[in-house]
Amino acid sequence: MRHAVHPLTQQLIERKARGEKLAVLTAYDYPTARLLDEAGVDIILVGDSLGMVVLGLPDTTSVNMNTMLHHAAAVRRAVKRAPVVVDLPAHSYDTPEQALKNAERLVSAGADAVKLEGGRVVIEQVRAITQAGIGYIGHIGMLPQSVKLDGGYKKKGKMEADALCLLDDARALEDAGAAAIVLESIVSEVALRISQSVKIPTIGIGSGDGCDAQVLVTHDLIGAFPWFKPPFAKSRANVAQEITRATMEFVADVKRER
Ligand code: KIV
């Protein structure tokens, strides 16, 4: 049975059809989310990358629902314009029932849509979410929640068989009602083929400029996490340096006052 197209899916299909490129950034707190929204970003993602860039965890695999709910609510309070998409963390969607229940919790915290990682292997979870009328964004290619199983962060789509698998995953997610699909660390030519074969926008990260949208972790964009910089992410500010400078100035001033 065909279900009604979610308004976010409809909106993003139309924007892609018009040839519009979309800029997507992550936010995890009120001030950042408000600044990004007011600066005109198209979609704000409360990504589970917050585990690494906010909580100092080695990867995203131990981020949980309570953490996502907490940050989703903060971002919701800030954002008036852009759609807010929130990640379902690892093991919060192991079954379709669990996926639906946790997607509903994120919507109650303020999400306009949820994102989860995987293609056809999670299609029942995706259907449970979309058939309940909840907005959903897919994520294929390199899947950070599976980094331990995968043995590290590896480029995807290098072999033709892998490329075909990614294409089939993308089409399956589109058929299941995805509003867009994140393509993470996929060989550029393959990301372009995927983008040309679906009507919904692809949101690339480390997958070349043939995608319909680009997403970055905001800490990488603004240079706020200097200890690790992904090679594809161009920093356009140096917030870390500014924090260090202001802090050192303050410390020196206070010490001089004695
Ligand atoms: O968690 C996240 O921030 C993400 C983006 C990198 C796409 O999933």
Side-chain angles (χ1 to χ4, degrees), residues 26 45 47-49 87 115 139 182 205 215 217:
T26 62
L45 171 66
D48 61 357
S49 51
D87 265 341
K115 174 166 84 59
H139 186 151
V182 170
I205 177 157
V215 59
V217 169

Side-chain angles (χ1 to χ4, degrees), residues 1-78:
M1 189 177 65
R2 263 276 184 239
H3 285 262
V5 177
H6 190 276
L8 181 62
T9 308
Q10 189 59 41
Q11 185 209 112
L12 295 186
I13 289 173
E14 285 167 15
R15 292 174 80 173
K16 172 163 173 161
R18 288 199 295 269
E20 206 183 317
K21 293 271 183 180
L22 305 176
V24 182
L25 285 171
T26 62
Y28 321 106
D29 61 71
Y30 179 94
T32 310
R34 186 164 168 181
L35 290 167
L36 300 186
D37 194 37
E38 291 172 2
V41 75
D42 292 297
I43 297 175
I44 293 182
L45 171 66
V46 186
D48 61 357
S49 51
L50 69 84
M52 298 161 85
V53 298
V54 175
L55 304 179
L57 296 167
D59 54 51
T60 61
T61 59
S62 60
V63 175
N64 63 29
M65 273 300 293
N66 284 343
T67 302
M68 296 311 297
L69 289 164
H70 180 78
H71 289 273
V75 169
R76 178 73 282 162
R77 285 191 280 276

Side-chain angles (χ1 to χ4, degrees), residues 141-178:
M142 201 281 290
L143 306 179
Q145 292 175 7
S146 305
V147 63
K148 286 178 180 158
L149 283 173
D150 226 12
Y153 297 99
K154 296 175 183 158
K155 198 88 181 167
K156 300 292 174 179
K158 287 188 183 162
M159 310 295 285
E160 183 56 16
D162 300 332
L164 293 175
C165 202
L166 288 166
L167 274 156
D168 286 345
D169 280 338
R171 290 194 195 106
L173 295 179
E174 177 177 46
D175 281 351

Side-chain angles (χ1 to χ4, degrees), residues 16 28 108 209 219:
K16 172 163 173 161
Y28 321 106
S108 299
D209 55 15
H219 286 64

